[in-house]
Amino acid sequence: MLDSNNGTLAGEDSYKSIADVRDDLQLMLEKPKTFLYDQDMGKLSVTGLQFRDTVFGRNAELFTIKEAYRRSISGDGELVLISGPSGSGKSLLASEFGRSVSAGGGIVLSGKFDQLKQGKPFSALASAFDIYCGNLMKESCPSSYVKVLASNVMASLGGEAYHLAKIIPNLGVILGPDVFDISHDQVCDHPQERLEHLLCQFVEVISSSSGAPVTLFLDDLQWADSASIAAVNQLLFTADFSTSSSSSLKGRKQIFFYGCCREGAIDKKHPVWKVFLRAKLLGVKYTNVKLGYFEEEMLNTMVSETLRLSPRLTRSLSSVIYHKTKGNPLFVSQLMLSLSKEGLLRPSLSRRRWEWDKEKIQSQKLPDDVAMFITESIQALSADVKSATCVLSCFGASADITVIKTLDGALNKNLVDNLDVAVREGLLDKADDKYRFSHDRIQEAAYNMMEILDRCHFHFFYGMTLAPADGETDDSLLLIAANQLNLAGPEAVQDKSQNAVVANLNLRAGKKAMEMSDFVAAYFYFDNGISFLRKKHWEEYYALSLELFDLAAKCALTNGDTVSLQLLYEQVLTYCRTFEDKLNVMYFSTCALAFSSRLPESIEKGLDILSKLGIELRGDESSMEACVQETKSLLSVYTDNDILNTRRMTDPIMIIAMKFLGKMELGMTQIMPKSVARVTQRIIQLSLLHGMSPVSPIGFVHLGSYIAKFGDISGGYHYVKLARSLLDKVGSRESAGEVICIGTQVVAYVEPVQAALEYHDDGYAAAMAYGDVIQAAVNSILKCTMSSIAGVNLQTTQEKCTKAIKFMEDKKLVIFMTQLQYIQHSVFKLIGTDEEPKYVSEGQNILATNNSVKTTYYFQKTYISFIFRSYEGTKENIGKYVACIGNTWANLFFHHSFHAFYIGLISFWLARKSGDGNQWIERGKLSKLALKKWAESSSWTFENKWYLLEAEESFCNNNYDTAKTYYDKAISSAKDHKFINEEALACELAAYFYLELGQKDKAVELFLLAHEKYHEWGAFGKCTSLLKVVSFNLSSSIGTGLTNTDTDSMGQKTASSSSTYIGTGLTNTNTDIRGQETASSIRTGLTNTDIMGQETAAPNLEDDILSFLDDALQR
């Protein structure tokens, strides 16, 4: 224990106090491997100093991250960002935390962004998943789990797994070669959204298959690309519409995110900023773990444990190192390695410990900056090793050994052996068939050692050397070669013939990126390919130029880059030789107009283009019904098998014409509903004449919808089913989202609506699988609407609305979002919360210009006014609603039946209360006949509604016995068919009927039952309002001297000219009304739940009403 030198006690190293002895003994007990056991000094004298992946002085920060992780997987949701200056140990701390997660059974997906690999699609994110899949195939992972994962991936993603396997090669190995043989389609309007959706599903599969939480770590976020960060946003925050769990985004998926970035490298313009901004907006906690440089005492701990010597012995060395490095951990480690190489820090075999020359170390002149120190360290290497290190630096933070070996022969240098020397020097790591720089600052130092012009020439030479010839399938080399050439730039080209070669290589790379669903990277390649073309390229390389411009325009549209799209569009229109060659960019331009809310202009442009293709849609004045009948006649000579077995369309002009028609169908349905049937007819005509295309099912499903709207539900249902079958025959499911969406609305008129509404989950998933956010949004809004109609618990419906609105907000689908917010407002009113939707500033303009939105708005106001028994509000808004309904969507939607039902109920109510009874009765009869007709196709869904309208009409006509019968039928049918909302409504309306007849006991019984069912539905606001309405009406019915009044939606009294409803029929005695045999024995025994899920006292209708009546009788 007493250090001695040749038997003599050494002054500086000997113990000065018993406290030093105590401290050393304590260290030996706590860390015997470090401070008690001898080191192999013989081995160290050969290898030199070795640094382990040990985290020093970051215990508090590590604890903070672990606590954030614990909270996150418990459901609270939290993100962590580790920031600090370069060399402060961010990645080391992140790795230490990752090891602790893995040791605890969690799954860690780890990726790293690279400044020089921006052209590789989803490089960091894809590599994180790829490394995970690669580890699964190692012997340590049970093969049974791999099989389960593969099975679950295919069950969840189906053929869409292909698109993930293209960017995650090891997933393709797990799934097997068949995944690349599954029918799939590259055509996709929103591939970025498709890939984001698939990655979300993959994370769900990983978590559910393993039963473990998933952690995603991304290093060097300062180099992150926007496409990858958009995908991270989806993984962390977006609640899939089809998810049935709580609406809270916190804890929706078992996924925890943490990342590292350089201090000050992320500003408000950086894509990563959006992740943390969104976390703040959603109330998800964000923790920033800031690392700094070491204080001198902590640096001594690092030196002490590295040299495995007592801190008292290393303090003098640490002091010198601290003053030279300012405590930068990277600088410290690099300096100590340098000292070891120079022999100033060396193992002593005689003393069995490390020793050093303090004075010589102190006298060394070192640069103040770690980058300069590293540069000098590289400069000190042999010329060959230095050159090999510079070659590697041109490929970013790492490169595959296969790439290095490919360059070996071309450069006539032994790169592998020289890089192995750099590994031994501590500058590089070698693992998993890769050379990787030990730190990004080392790569930067090596890269910056080369002159800028030299770097350009090197990049160009490496790119041309690695470029695979046409027909070769080495995708990895293709992207690496293209990236090297693009880093070089057109100025590096010396032989003019190489311009077209590089442009073509970028074309191939861009197509590959499109296959990987990264259209941002694809545009990068196409744009670079165009930049390599020479001035007369349209003359010399017409086909190459046209394809580059076409695909670049497609990517610009997909990425929302309308400025670039317009520039490309103008070039193509100027230089293309034929009209047909211009069609692709014209289609993209038309789509861009529609996406930017310039729908009328988009439609006019589409009509012009179709006209030039011989497809004339203008000038036909025939009615929509006549056009539908013509189309039915056209199809009457074909059987379903004939249609399903029609050949596929191959004419490229007709294929693009069909795409125009498909876009016209959706647009004209919204703003030109009377003309859209002609578009449907042309889609079907061209499909029968030229073959089926991916657009063909759209024509058939819309035809079915129109037929159903004209009254032939079974005929429309037939074509809907045919359209669904066609999806599997046309070689693509790109239109599946729209087909399922429109078809489900017809299906709901045939099958029980509670079952049919779940089909919209399939529609949403199908739309997102092809990145079709428009149809995903329409599926979501229609499911929310149907849920509110079908009697789904209102809290569940409200959660679905919140998810869907958030999705639409993210995708900037303002019109759909505004429309759904009006429905959400009604749900809030029914629940009884004061919460209001967060309307966007454009809402009023949309309401003024979009008839579909206006119709929804006025119907919801009419509906809520009626539900809360506001006569004046109902009468005012129904007139505005009726004025809107003449020019809405041409399709049949399920909410049309909901509207008809309530317009009928309102009409009969207004007929009884207003002086213009006949007009309202006639309108009510029309609604009743519509519901009766629909009940023939689905008694489950419409029977109770028809019965209630029959009851209300009989009430108006004073046919009281008939009314009683139909009220009973309506209540019973609603109960049998699971419409709890309409069971409550039927009970309430029947109660008003019996109240009018003077049968107070029966009325009270039905009011209490209505209250119970409203409460069970979750309509607590309606429960409160019902108590106020009934209390007043019953009080006025027993002669309290109050005048009969209406109540508005808030339960406030309004004047009414009607007489009191009934006399009491009771003598004025002291008899307590609780002694009467009434429905007073009915007890709901329920409690309310407020918006935060807390239990509150439920309004007890029975006690409040009977107490009120008791007091009135005593008076």
Side-chain angles (χ1 to χ4, degrees):
M1 287 176 60
L2 294 178
D3 192 84
S4 62
N5 187 10
N6 298 324
T8 305
L9 292 179
E12 288 189 4
D13 294 343
S14 61
Y15 287 105
K16 300 294 190 296
S17 68
I18 196 64
D20 289 342
V21 178
R22 178 199 62 204
D23 291 344
D24 280 5
L25 289 172
Q26 188 66 37
L27 287 172
M28 293 175 189
L29 287 171
E30 293 174 354
K31 299 180 179 181
K33 290 184 178 179
T34 302
F35 294 108
L36 181 60
Y37 304 137
D38 282 342
Q39 302 181 64
D40 187 345
M41 304 311 293
K43 180 179 179 181
L44 288 173
S45 64
V46 176
T47 63
L49 183 65
Q50 301 290 310
F51 274 94
R52 296 163 290 170
D53 290 335
T54 304
V55 177
F56 298 103
R58 306 299 190 193
N59 291 338
E61 290 87 350
L62 183 60
F63 177 78
T64 297
I65 303 172
K66 288 181 177 180
E67 284 299 290
Y69 173 75
R70 180 188 59 77
R71 290 190 294 268
S72 183
I73 64 172
S74 298
D76 288 340
E78 193 162 342
L79 313 178
V80 171
L81 178 68
I82 305 172
S83 63
S86 179
S88 56
K90 302 180 293 294
S91 300
L92 198 60
L93 174 62
S95 298
E96 179 68 17
F97 168 71
R99 286 191 289 270
S100 71
V101 171
S102 298
I107 293 171
V108 180
L109 309 175
S110 180
K112 179 182 177 69
F113 289 103
D114 192 329
Q115 185 180 13
L116 294 184
K117 293 184 179 178
Q118 297 303 296
K120 190 172 181 181
F122 296 100
S123 57
L125 201 57
S127 69
F129 286 96
D130 196 50
I131 292 170
Y132 168 72
C133 292
N135 290 336
L136 292 181
M137 294 184 292
K138 295 180 179 179
E139 295 180 2
S140 57
C141 183
S143 60
S144 58
Y145 172 70
V146 177
K147 292 178 180 178
V148 168
L149 180 69
S151 174
N152 290 344
V153 167
M154 293 307 299
S156 179
L157 276 64
E160 299 307 309
Y162 165 88
H163 299 290
L164 280 187
K166 292 300 289 184
I167 67 166
I168 308 173
N170 282 323
L171 176 61
V173 176
I174 289 175
L175 298 178
D178 290 346
V179 73
F180 297 103
D181 297 330
I182 297 174
S183 177
H184 62 274
D185 185 44
Q186 296 300 336
V187 179
C188 177
D189 286 339
H190 300 276
Q192 172 81 23
E193 283 79 3
R194 172 178 66 187
L195 187 62
E196 291 168 3
H197 174 69
L198 294 175
L199 285 172
C200 287
Q201 287 187 297
F202 189 33
V203 170
E204 296 280 10
V205 169
I206 292 173
S207 183
S208 60
S209 300
S210 64
V214 176
T215 295
L216 175 63
F217 166 63
L218 294 176
D219 202 359
D220 284 334
L221 286 169
Q222 67 270 13
W223 308 127
D225 60 282
S226 57
S228 295
I229 295 305
V232 171
N233 253 316
Q234 289 292 106
L235 286 170
L236 299 180
F237 302 122
T238 300
D240 282 351
F241 163 69
S242 58
T243 304
S244 59
S245 59
S246 168
S247 67
S248 173
L249 293 176
K250 303 174 185 179
R252 181 185 64 85
K253 298 185 183 79
Q254 288 193 73
I255 184 166
F256 172 71
F257 174 77
Y258 72 113
C260 293
C261 75
R262 287 186 188 175
E263 187 177 57
I266 293 178
D267 57 20
K268 293 183 179 180
K269 296 180 180 180
H270 198 283
V272 174
W273 180 269
K274 296 179 181 178
V275 175
F276 298 101
L277 178 62
R278 193 171 182 196
K280 181 179 180 180
L281 292 174
L282 294 175
V284 177
K285 188 176 180 182
Y286 148 56
T287 299
N288 186 3
V289 176
K290 296 183 178 181
L291 301 187
Y293 293 156
F294 286 155
E295 296 294 334
E296 186 170 347
E297 191 60 35
M298 185 51 62
L299 187 148
N300 186 45
T301 301
M302 174 183 178
V303 174
S304 166
E305 296 195 11
T306 301
L307 301 181
R308 295 173 63 176
L309 289 172
S310 165
R312 68 182 179 84
L313 299 177
T314 59
R315 191 164 283 112
S316 61
L317 173 63
S318 298
S319 179
V320 175
I321 293 175
Y322 176 76
H323 286 92
K324 288 184 176 294
T325 64
K326 303 299 186 292
N328 182 318
L330 175 63
F331 203 166
V332 171
S333 61
Q334 291 299 308
L335 175 59
M336 291 182 68
L337 288 172
S338 175
L339 294 175
S340 175
K341 294 172 195 172
E342 295 173 16
L344 299 179
L345 176 63
R346 56 192 176 275
S348 170
L349 296 177
S350 61
R351 302 180 66 187
R352 298 191 301 280
R353 50 160 281 188
W354 288 91
E355 60 184 13
W356 51 89
D357 293 327
K358 177 182 173 182
E359 288 75 14
K360 289 184 179 180
I361 295 173
Q362 201 163 17
S363 64
Q364 269 199 337
K365 292 184 178 181
L366 299 177
D368 294 331
D369 178 64
V370 63
M372 287 299 299
F373 179 80
I374 294 171
T375 300
E376 291 181 4
S377 299
I378 297 173
Q379 292 282 14
L381 299 171
S382 70
D384 288 342
V385 176
K386 180 170 63 177
S387 175
T389 305
C390 289
V391 170
L392 181 65
S393 73
C394 289
F395 293 87
S398 65
D400 292 341
I401 292 179
T402 54
V403 172
I404 301 302
K405 288 181 176 179
T406 303
L407 292 174
D408 251 342
L411 293 172
N412 196 25
K413 294 181 179 180
N414 195 347
L415 293 177
V416 173
D417 289 345
N418 286 313
L419 290 177
D420 286 340
V421 173
V423 171
R424 291 193 292 273
E425 293 290 328
L427 298 173
L428 309 178
D429 296 320
K430 186 179 182 181
D432 299 324
D433 295 324
K434 285 180 179 289
Y435 284 107
R436 182 180 299 277
F437 283 95
S438 301
H439 195 277
D440 56 358
R441 293 304 296 268
I442 300 175
Q443 183 269 333
E444 291 171 12
Y447 191 68
N448 290 329
M449 285 171 57
M450 298 176 283
E451 296 293 333
I452 294 177
L453 289 178
D454 291 339
R455 287 203 302 250
C456 290
H457 291 303
F458 292 153
H459 282 305
F460 190 82
F461 178 78
Y462 302 154
M464 295 300 290
T465 301
L466 295 171
D470 284 340
E472 290 186 24
T473 59
D474 194 337
D475 298 331
S476 59
L477 282 182
L478 169 64
L479 296 178
I480 292 170
N483 200 38
Q484 288 292 306
L485 292 166
N486 294 333
L487 287 169
E491 296 78 10
V493 178
Q494 295 180 341
D495 183 346
K496 293 180 181 180
S497 64
Q498 293 178 321
N499 286 88
V501 173
V502 178
N504 186 62
L505 194 72
N506 270 294
L507 176 65
R508 292 165 56 194
K511 289 179 178 179
K512 185 64 189 173
M514 288 175 68
E515 288 183 20
M516 295 172 157
S517 296
D518 188 348
F519 279 53
V520 174
Y523 180 81
F524 167 82
Y525 287 120
F526 296 137
D527 187 51
N528 274 283
I530 291 171
S531 73
F532 275 93
L533 293 173
R534 302 183 69 82
K535 285 185 178 181
K536 295 183 178 180
H537 62 89
W538 282 106
E539 299 173 13
E540 299 173 357
Y541 300 101
Y542 180 81
L544 173 62
S545 300
L546 178 60
E547 192 169 10
L548 278 169
F549 274 78
D550 269 359
L551 293 176
K554 178 179 176 62
C555 293
L557 172 67
T558 301
N559 300 332
D561 185 358
T562 55
V563 174
S564 295
L565 174 58
Q566 182 63 26
L567 292 173
L568 293 162
Y569 170 77
E570 291 171 358
Q571 282 275 301
V572 172
L573 260 60
T574 301
Y575 293 104
C576 271
R577 297 170 181 171
T578 67
F579 177 73
E580 289 75 14
D581 286 347
K582 301 174 185 178
L583 283 174
N584 279 325
V585 293
M586 294 172 80
Y587 173 72
F588 302 143
S589 177
T590 303
C591 292
L593 290 172
F595 293 161
S596 60
S597 301
R598 296 161 65 184
L599 192 54
E601 187 179 344
S602 172
I603 290 173
E604 283 302 313
K605 188 171 184 175
L607 290 172
D608 288 339
I609 294 168
L610 287 168
S611 179
K612 292 178 181 178
L613 291 173
I615 303 171
E616 189 58 64
L617 294 172
R618 295 188 180 100
D620 192 330
E621 301 298 331
S622 59
S623 68
M624 181 176 179
E625 191 166 4
C627 186
V628 170
Q629 190 58 47
E630 287 177 18
T631 309
K632 287 174 64 178
S633 298
L634 171 67
L635 290 168
S636 63
V637 297
Y638 295 90
T639 67
D640 287 356
N641 282 334
D642 290 338
I643 294 170
L644 292 173
N645 292 316
T646 301
R647 70 186 188 281
R648 291 186 186 178
M649 189 176 288
T650 56
D651 184 342
I653 303 301
M654 284 298 102
I655 290 173
I656 191 68
M658 289 287 281
K659 294 177 73 173
F660 274 104
L661 287 167
K663 288 298 178 186
M664 302 288 286
E665 180 88 58
L666 180 61
M668 291 177 68
T669 297
Q670 297 178 60
I671 65 172
M672 300 172 64
K674 294 179 180 178
S675 304
V676 72
R678 189 62 63 189
V679 177
T680 304
Q681 184 183 66
R682 289 305 172 89
I683 290 175
I684 293 174
Q685 286 175 337
L686 292 175
S687 298
L688 295 174
L689 184 61
H690 297 280
M692 295 293 167
S693 86
V695 178
S696 300
I698 294 176
F700 283 92
V701 78
H702 279 276
L703 176 64
S705 181
Y706 304 150
I707 291 171
K709 191 170 185 181
F710 286 128
D712 184 2
I713 298 295
S714 62
Y717 184 56
H718 169 80
Y719 281 109
V720 164
K721 291 191 294 184
L722 181 60
R724 290 289 297 264
S725 299
L726 266 176
L727 286 173
D728 299 322
K729 293 288 186 176
V730 297
S732 169
R733 290 181 62 84
E734 66 177 279
S735 61
E738 183 172 352
V739 171
I740 295 171
C741 178
I742 299 299
T744 297
Q745 294 297 295
V746 177
V747 169
Y749 283 83
V750 180
E751 301 176 14
V753 65
Q754 293 93 337
L757 65 87
E758 298 302 324
Y759 296 149
H760 280 301
D761 290 346
D762 299 332
Y764 175 89
M768 288 304 296
Y770 278 81
D772 189 347
V773 294
I774 301 292
Q775 288 303 325
V778 176
N779 272 284
S780 66
I781 194 172
L782 290 176
K783 181 172 182 181
C784 290
T785 305
M786 290 174 70
S787 296
S788 67
I789 298 170
V792 174
N793 179 269
L794 284 172
Q795 279 68 34
T796 301
T797 300
Q798 187 270 327
E799 291 168 1
K800 292 180 185 295
C801 288
T802 300
K803 292 178 185 179
I805 287 170
K806 188 62 194 170
F807 171 79
M808 295 170 199
E809 182 183 13
D810 291 341
K811 303 305 178 185
K812 298 180 175 60
L813 303 174
V814 181
I815 293 176
F816 291 138
M817 183 177 75
T818 301
Q819 196 161 13
L820 184 54
Q821 283 177 323
Y822 294 139
I823 297 169
Q824 184 188 43
H825 181 266
S826 296
V827 174
F828 283 147
K829 288 293 185 186
L830 290 167
I831 291 173
T833 176
D834 292 331
E835 190 173 352
E836 293 281 343
K838 298 177 181 178
Y839 298 111
V840 294
S841 57
E842 304 99 306
Q844 287 302 313
N845 182 56
I846 292 170
L847 181 61
T849 58
N850 190 298
N851 200 64
S852 177
V853 174
K854 188 186 299 184
T855 302
T856 299
Y857 174 76
Y858 282 119
F859 175 78
Q860 291 300 322
K861 287 181 72 71
T862 304
Y863 166 67
I864 284 298
S865 296
F866 173 72
I867 285 292
F868 286 94
R869 309 302 285 178
S870 170
Y871 170 71
E872 294 298 336
T874 304
K875 188 173 182 180
E876 175 188 355
N877 288 300
I878 192 172
K880 295 177 180 178
Y881 164 76
V882 170
C884 296
I885 60 177
N887 194 34
T888 53
W889 287 52
N891 301 85
L892 177 68
F893 291 102
F894 183 72
H895 62 257
H896 290 156
S897 66
F898 182 65
H899 289 199
F901 175 48
Y902 273 91
I903 294 306
L905 294 177
I906 290 167
S907 296
F908 289 132
W909 183 47
L910 295 179
R912 293 196 299 273
K913 293 182 70 66
S914 70
D916 190 14
N918 290 334
Q919 174 192 347
W920 290 113
I921 286 177
E922 289 305 312
R923 187 177 293 278
K925 284 182 178 179
L926 290 175
S927 290
K928 184 197 73 172
L929 292 175
L931 268 297
K932 183 178 180 180
K933 178 72 174 176
W934 289 327
E936 294 173 3
S937 63
S938 177
S939 59
W940 177 283
T941 300
F942 300 108
E943 182 185 75
N944 70 293
K945 301 171 180 65
W946 165 46
Y947 286 156
L948 190 55
L949 287 171
E950 288 281 11
E952 287 288 286
E953 183 186 16
S954 298
F955 186 6
C956 281
N957 295 331
N958 299 323
N959 295 328
Y960 298 138
D961 289 341
T962 303
K964 289 178 181 179
T965 300
Y966 276 112
Y967 279 125
D968 288 344
K969 285 185 174 183
I971 294 169
S972 177
S973 179
K975 181 178 181 180
D976 291 344
H977 298 142
K978 315 301 182 187
F979 291 100
I980 193 170
N981 54 330
E982 290 167 4
E983 183 184 356
L985 178 64
C987 288
E988 181 186 1
L989 296 184
Y992 289 126
F993 166 74
Y994 283 105
L995 193 62
E996 182 76 17
L997 297 185
Q999 298 181 31
K1000 174 181 63 63
D1001 293 353
K1002 182 66 173 178
V1004 170
E1005 177 184 352
L1006 286 166
F1007 277 132
L1008 289 170
L1009 185 57
H1011 174 273
E1012 179 181 344
K1013 296 304 174 183
Y1014 278 128
H1015 197 290
E1016 190 174 339
W1017 184 33
F1020 307 128
K1022 172 61 181 175
C1023 288
T1024 302
S1025 176
L1026 184 64
L1027 181 150
K1028 295 177 182 178
V1029 173
V1030 175
S1031 296
F1032 178 77
N1033 280 312
L1034 288 183
S1035 68
S1036 63
S1037 72
I1038 59 173
T1040 62
L1042 297 172
T1043 58
N1044 185 30
T1045 63
D1046 280 14
T1047 56
D1048 65 14
S1049 62
M1050 298 306 294
Q1052 301 300 312
K1053 298 174 184 178
T1054 59
S1056 171
S1057 60
S1058 302
S1059 61
T1060 56
Y1061 286 105
I1062 57 174
T1064 64
L1066 298 173
T1067 59
N1068 188 9
T1069 67
N1070 291 327
T1071 305
D1072 189 335
I1073 196 166
R1074 295 180 187 274
Q1076 301 297 322
E1077 292 184 2
T1078 66
S1080 59
S1081 61
I1082 299 174
R1083 303 281 178 175
T1084 64
L1086 297 172
T1087 59
N1088 268 348
T1089 305
D1090 67 14
I1091 195 68
M1092 298 305 293
Q1094 301 298 317
E1095 285 194 352
T1096 61
N1100 193 321
L1101 184 64
E1102 176 199 354
D1103 285 346
D1104 288 350
I1105 290 176
L1106 296 181
S1107 295
F1108 187 89
L1109 295 176
D1110 210 16
D1111 293 341
L1113 282 173
Q1114 294 299 326
R1115 291 196 298 272

